[in-house]
Amino acid sequence: MDSDRKVALITGASQGIGAALAGAYRERGYRVVATARSMRPSDDPDILAVAGDIAERSTAERVISEAVTRFGRVDTLVNNAGIFIAKPFTDYTEADYLMVLGVNTTGFFHITQLAIAQMEKRGGGHVVQITTTLAEQANSKVPAVLAALTKGGLNAATRSLAIEYAGRGIRVNAVAPGIIRTPMHPPESHAALDGMHPLGHMGDISDIVQAVLYLEAAPFVTGEILHVDGGQSAGR
Ligand SMILES: NC(=O)c1ccc[n+]([C@@H]2O[C@H](COP(=O)([O-])OP(=O)(O)OC[C@H]3O[C@@H](n4cnc5c(N)ncnc54)[C@H](OP(=O)(O)O)[C@@H]3O)[C@@H](O)[C@H]2O)c1
């Protein structure tokens, strides 16, 4: 097994931002572990695809164990898998609550714990969460307490883990997007969504990929919540 080359693990890699991140790391010479429920096998020997529900600990265990067997190491984890349900607070069902907490929070917990254990063995690594600007800048037009609860928790956990692991060579950061043009948003909603950003337009997937790659290549940056949101977090 060639274990000289770095390995990036991307969750939620079957589409949208996660699929683009997997491609971007691959282009930079990383071997990539890509996971999502509908992940399909890849012809590329440097991409390991593992299908599973990230909310289940057994998925995290399988992803890490297959990654170590195939590639021997885990250098970067991008916690990108996420779901978004916007509703008035009292309309949320218990099923909504459990689903959003399951993917966004429990999913983060299991895979991050196991990935960091691997990073510690090599004395270094990088963990990045994809959160949302809505966690810090609530918007009256987009009531989404479950996004604030879960992604706000990830922002806090980012800082906490950054400090806990700063002395062990593991950096922990987050990217907080505004609204990004992905399959999450139907085309008929785009004009209204454009208008919700001071810069006058939604972001593109490439904006988030560039931000993650910047953090990857920034050895003096840890505990950072990097807003990539067309100015939303600055005000309106
Ligand atoms: N798009 C935006 O405007 C926006 C804004 C702010 C933050 N974000 C965040 O950015 C991240 C990516 O968003 P996106 O727009 O690319 O979303 P997307 O197109 O809906 O993709 C979400 C990814 O997460 C995976 N996923 C969902 N539930 C899962 C589960 N239970 N287990 C494993 N994987 C699961 C999906 O794969 P499967 O369905 O195959 O499982 C898919 O690959 C999310 O965390 C999202 O909250 C997005």
Side-chain angles (χ1 to χ4, degrees):
M1 178 179 29
D2 160 27
S3 60
D4 290 341
R5 286 165 56 210
K6 284 191 168 181
V7 174
L9 195 176
I10 318 292
T11 72
S14 61
Q15 65 171 45
I17 294 167
L21 282 167
Y25 273 95
R26 188 67 201 87
E27 275 168 21
R28 277 153 188 79
Y30 281 71
R31 291 171 300 174
V32 167
V33 183
T35 184
R37 288 167 306 177
S38 62
M39 207 70 224
R40 292 172 175 237
S42 171
D43 294 337
D44 181 343
D46 285 330
I47 297 181
L48 170 65
V50 184
D53 183 344
I54 200 68
E56 303 287 338
R57 186 152 186 104
S58 59
T59 299
E61 287 169 348
R62 204 155 34 83
V63 170
I64 296 293
S65 132
E66 290 188 27
V68 171
T69 302
R70 174 94 158 255
F71 297 139
R73 57 194 283 177
V74 177
D75 298 276
T76 293
L77 165 65
V78 184
N79 280 302
N80 167 78
I83 52 175
F84 179 71
I85 302 176
K87 281 183 182 176
F89 180 56
T90 54
D91 288 355
Y92 279 119
T93 64
E94 187 182 5
D96 292 333
Y97 175 80
L98 293 174
M99 192 159 60
V100 177
L101 269 282
V103 177
N104 293 6
T105 305
T106 311
F108 154 84
F109 176 76
H110 292 316
I111 195 99
T112 304
Q113 212 176 33
L114 299 175
I116 284 183
Q118 291 301 320
M119 293 172 188
E120 279 194 281
K121 288 183 187 167
R122 300 186 61 88
H126 187 211
V127 180
V128 185
Q129 280 62 249
I130 309 298
T131 66
T132 173
T133 271
L134 273 177
E136 294 149 295
Q137 278 287 320
N139 186 323
S140 59
K141 295 191 180 116
V142 190
V145 166
L146 291 184
L149 182 65
T150 56
K151 302 290 192 170
L154 294 191
N155 283 345
T158 295
R159 294 196 182 93
S160 184
L161 286 175
I163 296 307
E164 183 173 345
Y165 286 96
R168 283 175 271 181
I170 299 172
R171 294 183 300 115
V172 186
N173 290 300
V175 172
I179 301 168
I180 306 300
R181 205 180 299 270
T182 68
M184 206 179 248
H185 308 294
E188 59 274 19
S189 68
H190 287 181
L193 297 176
D194 283 343
M196 290 168 63
H197 300 80
L199 285 182
H201 61 86
M202 274 190 279
D204 287 316
I205 287 176
S206 60
D207 292 310
I208 305 306
V209 170
Q210 281 171 25
V212 173
L213 293 176
Y214 160 72
L215 292 169
E216 186 66 53
F220 199 48
V221 178
T222 194
E224 175 67 13
I225 314 295
L226 179 56
H227 295 88
V228 182
D229 63 4
Q232 284 183 329
S233 63
R236 66 188 65 201

